[in-house]
Amino acid sequence: MKILVLGASGKTGREVVRQALIAGHEVTAFVRDPMKIDRGDVAVAVGDARNADDLEEALRDQDAVISTLGSGLDGKQALIEDSTRALLEAMRVTRVRRLVMLSTFAASPTFKATGIMKLARIVMKGIVADKAAGERLLKRSDLDWTIIYATRLTEASASGSYRIVEGPLTDIGSISRADVASALLSALGTLDSVHHGIVVTSSERVAAPPLPTRRR
């Protein structure tokens, strides 16, 4: 599969690129600064994720998109809303339909803040609003989208497992970026995840699904 990765120079994006290549996919990294991609086994597309023309050029001949874009705690930039709007336009023009987008647990409709997490919701108010605005645009589109809501991200090594949270999310755990990358790629490979928001967190009990292999 030919995959365009948005946010490919970020910590989670780099892990998505690495795992996608191991699985045999062809990867194009979409970045603002090509110097941040320090490997020669991926194609690099340079542009602004808020610019539909830049995205349209990068999407030519792609099969799918994985977006790991994030805006830190500064939701005032409206990065997710603006980039989602541009991406939807570019995907419409290029007729690329499959999109898996990374989001935060705090933006999940199932998140129920309790205890100290009420404070976290206040701190993350801006980014949650930005994420929610972008996701509303996505859900109104006719794309084959999946949203992966990750709990608190860590720099730990891949555990080889993660848990999909069913029902209300009240107990906020953590998950490594490597395991999140695995969840993003696994969602990409199954039609069962289309038009679903999926909350993932760490687990020592449930093995992660295998990575999808390249189409022949």
Side-chain angles (χ1 to χ4, degrees), residues 73-76 121-131:
L73 293 176
D74 187 5
K76 293 180 180 180
R121 169 162 272 178
I122 295 173
V123 172
M124 299 176 68
K125 182 178 179 181
I127 187 172
V128 170
D130 185 27
K131 292 276 191 183

Side-chain angles (χ1 to χ4, degrees), residues 2 18 37 55 63 87 118 126 147 149 186:
K2 296 180 179 179
R18 187 186 73 82
I37 298 296
L55 289 167
D63 297 315
L87 181 59
K118 292 181 179 179
I147 302 171
Y149 297 100
S186 294

Side-chain angles (χ1 to χ4, degrees), residues 116-187:
I116 195 171
M117 293 314 298
K118 292 181 179 179
L119 177 59
R121 169 162 272 178
I122 295 173
V123 172
M124 299 176 68
K125 182 178 179 181
I127 187 172
V128 170
D130 185 27
K131 292 276 191 183
E135 289 165 19
R136 283 193 296 271
L137 293 173
L138 182 60
K139 291 174 181 178
R140 289 199 296 264
S141 77
D142 63 353
L143 295 180
D144 296 330
W145 56 266
T146 302
I147 302 171
I148 298 294
Y149 297 100
T151 54
R152 186 174 59 85
L153 296 173
T154 74
E155 309 304 323
S157 300
S159 69
S161 65
Y162 57 84
R163 178 168 56 92
I164 294 175
V165 180
E166 304 286 354
L169 176 64
T170 56
D171 183 14
I172 306 304
S174 62
I175 185 170
S176 71
R177 295 180 187 276
D179 288 335
V180 169
S182 178
L184 290 163
L185 285 161
S186 294

